[in-house]
Amino acid sequence: MNTVNRVNTEKPAPGAKPRSTPRSAAPGPDFASRSVPRHLARGALGFGLIIGSIALVPVAGPATLLAAPLALIAFRGCPTCWMVGLAQTVSRGRLERRCRDGVCTLTAARPAGETTEPTAGSG
């Protein structure tokens, strides 16, 4: 089943030169990791630093709050940035963005060996 979601439905002006966007170029920052386990490890470290720094305040004093900013490094920003990165990491290689004649679509990526042309037996 091939589903297509329209991202941008604006048509270019008549006579305008169509722009092609490279498949790997996506707008906005990239918060994804190389693998899901690596991303989950970064999340565990970040959340551990935040929770630990707050939980240790009664025991070791307010100096433990200095560990909380280190979580921002592990998250590559804030916890929301980490969640966006998790979605990017999970979907990497599964979704494909294609732009043609000013209209961009988001489709399921095809495996490397699969062709886009119809085969002789299909009709």
Side-chain angles (χ1 to χ4, degrees), residues 41-68:
R42 279 191 19 243
L45 177 65
F47 285 115
L49 283 168
I50 288 176
I51 293 168
S53 67
I54 293 170
L56 290 175
V57 168
V59 177
T64 59
L65 293 175
L66 294 174

Side-chain angles (χ1 to χ4, degrees), residues 78-100:
C78 60
T80 303
C81 300
W82 180 83
M83 292 295 289
V84 168
L86 180 61
Q88 288 177 343
T89 303
V90 169
S91 70
R92 180 160 288 164
R94 295 182 182 166
L95 297 175
E96 190 173 83
R97 179 176 174 234
R98 293 184 185 198
C99 296
R100 182 180 293 164

Side-chain angles (χ1 to χ4, degrees), residues 7-123:
V7 177
N8 181 4
T9 58
E10 292 182 19
K11 299 284 183 185
K17 186 176 179 183
R19 292 179 287 169
S20 65
T21 305
R23 287 180 10 190
S24 63
D30 185 18
F31 295 105
S33 296
R34 292 184 183 174
S35 68
V36 174
R38 179 178 288 192
H39 196 84
L40 293 175
R42 279 191 19 243
L45 177 65
F47 285 115
L49 283 168
I50 288 176
I51 293 168
S53 67
I54 293 170
L56 290 175
V57 168
V59 177
T64 59
L65 293 175
L66 294 174
L70 296 176
L72 298 177
I73 296 170
F75 285 141
R76 292 186 188 162
C78 60
T80 303
C81 300
W82 180 83
M83 292 295 289
V84 168
L86 180 61
Q88 288 177 343
T89 303
V90 169
S91 70
R92 180 160 288 164
R94 295 182 182 166
L95 297 175
E96 190 173 83
R97 179 176 174 234
R98 293 184 185 198
C99 296
R100 182 180 293 164
D101 297 329
V103 177
C104 295
T105 57
L106 191 62
T107 60
R110 292 181 196 89
E114 189 176 313
T115 61
T116 58
E117 300 295 321
T119 59
S122 65

